[in-house]
Amino acid sequence: MPARRNYYLNLKANYSQPRLVPEGLRQELIEEGLKYVAMKEATLPAIDANYTLEIIEQENKDWWPTHCEALRQGRGDILTGEYREDLVYFCQDGPYSGLEQQQEREKHWWALIAQPGVTMVWPIVMFYGEHTFFEWKCVDDETHETIAKGNVTWVRRGHRGGCYLKTEQLTFYRDVFAPDNLLKLITT
């Protein structure tokens, strides 16, 4: 049997469990997330000798902790900024195309997974060129029940390209639509 691995080895922060990321680093990751969103180019950059899959993979590894922190803090502005205008998003309710079709639905999802008293964790994350695969779950801090879970693949062309294809399987156990008081907590 192969040895178990730490999926966060050599990444800036570990989001595999609650309470592993210090406060100062959390704010730094939000600032980096804003910086990465601003680097996205209007045209999807070519993969070539100047922008190789190795560079893109490293940029995706650098981006990953900023994405996790943006979700934990309900930063819908950053999360939406990670997508390209021509995003294709496959999930149970999809497919969605562009940035408007999934917007209302995703806002409810973000509100539920970032609600006070719930912590989202990503026990598994893997990178291959422009592909990032991860599994996630949201755990109630008091009861320790899983309230939602899923697995996702992003096709992200590094900081310059952003995410142009997202596939997701997600399951919500308690709620599917967030109440207004939780929706108001999401930054848009």
Side-chain angles (χ1 to χ4, degrees), residues 70-184:
L71 270 161
R72 280 193 177 171
Q73 291 192 31
R75 293 295 303 264
D77 57 333
I78 295 173
L79 299 169
T80 299
E82 294 173 337
Y83 297 144
R84 295 198 57 75
E85 294 286 330
D86 58 352
L87 171 73
V88 174
Y89 185 1
F90 295 129
C91 65
Q92 293 97 308
D93 294 358
Y96 294 119
S97 181
L99 294 180
E100 293 182 19
Q101 290 183 348
Q102 94 293 354
Q103 196 170 42
E104 184 62 28
R105 177 60 119 174
E106 206 166 30
K107 183 171 65 174
H108 282 271
W109 295 338
W110 294 337
L112 291 169
I113 61 182
Q115 68 182 287
V118 168
T119 302
M120 189 168 189
V121 297
W122 296 261
I124 295 172
V125 60
M126 293 182 255
F127 304 92
Y128 185 78
E130 62 179 349
H131 299 88
T132 302
F133 169 83
F134 53 95
E135 294 181 6
W136 62 270
K137 67 178 181 173
C138 290
V139 180
D140 185 295
D141 296 336
E142 188 174 327
T143 66
H144 306 289
E145 71 179 300
T146 299
I147 67 160
K149 69 174 186 164
N151 67 69
V152 181
T153 299
W154 278 51
V155 183
R156 181 180 185 274
R157 185 109 6 123
H159 305 328
R160 293 174 47 200
C163 177
Y164 63 92
L165 174 65
K166 178 179 180 181
T167 67
E168 182 163 29
Q169 177 284 317
L170 63 164
T171 303
F172 285 85
Y173 294 106
R174 284 205 306 216
D175 301 301
V176 176
F177 289 98
D180 286 341
N181 65 318
L182 293 180
L183 289 172
K184 291 176 184 171

